[in-house]
Structure formats: structure tokens, C-alpha cells
């Protein structure tokens, strides 16, 4: 899950990013409203955490312009403004949830996961593919009922594929949700990571479509090329 944090308080932004990273999310930080608007338009985020009082351009304007541009990823507003009129303005601008400061970092994590499940049309918190299960609330994988040990990058890749189960996912899509935007992974890195995940699974769940990408499915893939 790739999340944009738009917050000009550097210490607060860092603490939120650390909490999200610990929860298995890929967090990117921006401190300026105009830059945030551009990032929300040009990058592929699963959700955003948005402060209202920002330099360059206020958060409500950023949010309105995202929505006007057809960007509909879930947005959680974080602000020190407690009045109902401020909350109403946020929801009318297109916010999906609203959290006032001070708050617990764990609550940000829980609310983002709930927003993401809702955006993906997932009614429950556990996704399953054959013997593999992913508890999206606890951010934990299990295989044949037992825990599955994964590195942080392996976890992010498999979580993204599970959330897109059955769909063909390109290499560039996976890279965008595993690496920060300023990193350019080696062309073989994803192949190595996918190979490691496959060995840990021990079952044919991740299928390769040469030149196109990967598909996670419990059903055999007739286009599987054996890679």
C-alpha cells in the first residue's frame, strides 16, 4: 500500500511515515501544497494523509483539484481544526475520513487500512488464495494455517498482488508500490524477489505473462510461460 503523507511539520510527518512503514506500507512525504497536487496527479497512490494548513497551497484546494482531475484514491485529512464546519468543508471537498490532532499513530494506520479495503470493494479483512491468506487488518500472511516469513519488500509485493488478485499487474505497477519514487530498482530485482516469494509459497500462485507482468491466482493460468 503506497501512501502520500502531505504534512509540513517535519517531525510529525516522519513519525507518521515510520508508523506506516512499520505496518508494511510504503510512505512518501511531501511538505508543500503545490507539490502535493502535482504528485497526486502524476503518481499512483493507494491513499493520502493530508494536512489542511500547508505552504504553497492549502489542503482543501489540493484535495478539490485532485478530485477535479479524476484522482479518487482515499484521502484521510489530519488537522488541528476541530469545528464541524471545518470537517464539513473537508468532506465536501472530497475527503474520505477526518482525524483531528492530537491523535495516535496506530489510529492513522487502522483508518488507512479501512479506507483502502473500502476503495477495493473488500467486505472482509482476510483475503485468501488457496492455502495463502492475508489478514489486511493485522497485516499478516499465513500459509496452510501457519505464519509465512517474508522480508519487508517481499511482503509489500505479495500484499499488492493479493489485493489485485486475478488481475494482470505490470512490473512498473509493482515497482511503484514497493519502492519510493526517487529509487529506480535494477531490472532484475523484481524477478529475484518474485522468485524468492514463489519458493517460500511452494505452490503455483504467482503466474508470469512474458512481457506483460504477473498475475496472482489459485487457478492455473493457461498463458503461464514457466518463468
Amino acid at each position: 500500500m503506497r501512501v502520500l503523507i502531505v504534512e509540513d511539520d517535519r517531525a510529525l510527518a516522519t513519525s507518521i511515515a515510520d508508523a506506516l512503514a512499520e505496518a508494511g506500507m510504503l510512505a512518501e512525504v511531501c511538505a508543500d501544497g503545490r507539490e502535493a497536487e502535482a504528485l497526486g496527479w502524476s503518481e499512483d497512490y493507494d491513499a493520502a494523509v493530508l494536512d489542511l494548513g500547508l505552504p504553497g497551497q492549502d489542503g482543501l484546494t489540493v484535495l478539490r483539484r485532485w478530485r477535479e482531475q479524476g484522482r479518487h484514491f482515499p484521502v484521510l485529512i489530519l488537522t488541528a481544526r476541530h469545528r464541524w464546519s471545518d470537517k464539513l468543508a473537508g468532506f465536501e471537498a472530497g475527503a474520505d475520513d477526518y482525524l483531528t490532532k492530537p491523535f495516535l499513530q496506530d489510529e492513522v494506520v487502522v483508518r488507512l487500512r479501512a479506507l483502502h479495503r473500502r476503495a477495493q470493494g473488500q467486505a472482509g479483512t482476510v483475503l485468501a488464495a488457496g492455502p495463502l491468506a492475508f489478514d489486511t487488518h493485522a497485516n499478516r500472511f499465513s500459509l496452510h494455517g501457519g505464519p509465512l516469513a517474508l522480508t519487508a519488500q517481499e511482503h509489500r509485493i505479495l500484499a499488492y498482488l493479493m489485493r489485485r488478485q486475478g488481475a494482470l499487474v505490470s512490473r512498473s505497477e509493482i515497482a511503484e508500490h514497493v519502492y519510493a519514487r526517487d529509487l529506480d530498482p535494477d531490472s532484475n530485482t523484481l524477478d529475484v524477489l518474485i522468485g524468492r516469494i514463489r519458493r517460500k509459497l511452494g505452490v503455483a500462485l504467482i503466474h508470469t505473462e512474458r512481457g506483460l507482468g504477473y498475475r496472482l491466482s489459485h487457478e492455473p493460468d493457461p498463458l503461464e510461460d514457466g518463468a
Side-chain angles (χ1 to χ4, degrees), residues 4 10 12 21 39 59 93 102 110 120-121 125-126 129 142 167 191 198 213 218:
L4 176 64
R10 181 174 297 181
L12 178 57
L39 288 173
V110 169
Q120 297 294 312
T125 62
V126 178
S142 61
D191 293 330
R198 281 175 166 152
H218 186 43

Side-chain angles (χ1 to χ4, degrees), residues 45 61 85 120 148 150 152 175 199:
Y45 294 107
T61 300
S85 59
Q120 297 294 312
L148 177 63
L150 299 166
R199 287 192 294 274

Side-chain angles (χ1 to χ4, degrees), residues 90-184:
F91 285 122
E92 288 181 341
D96 297 274
D97 202 354
Y98 197 108
L99 193 57
T100 54
K101 303 174 183 178
F103 52 84
L104 297 175
Q105 306 293 4
D106 287 347
E107 188 172 4
V108 177
V109 171
V110 169
R111 291 192 182 215
L112 283 174
R113 285 178 176 160
L115 289 175
H116 192 232
R117 285 197 304 272
R118 190 185 311 159
Q120 297 294 312
Q122 299 164 1
T125 62
V126 178
L127 306 179
L132 179 66
F134 178 43
D135 186 329
T136 61
H137 180 73
N139 197 41
R140 185 180 301 118
F141 280 99
S142 61
L143 184 67
H144 298 291
L148 177 63
L150 299 166
T151 66
Q153 288 183 341
E154 292 167 358
H155 188 286
R156 286 198 290 266
I157 291 173
L158 190 54
Y160 186 64
L161 290 174
M162 281 290 280
R163 294 183 187 278
R164 299 288 307 280
Q165 187 175 167
L168 177 64
V169 182
S170 70
R171 296 166 58 89
S172 61
E173 283 182 82
I174 297 174
E176 286 175 354
H177 288 78
V178 175
Y179 299 96
R181 63 180 182 272
D182 56 344
L183 295 179
D184 183 18

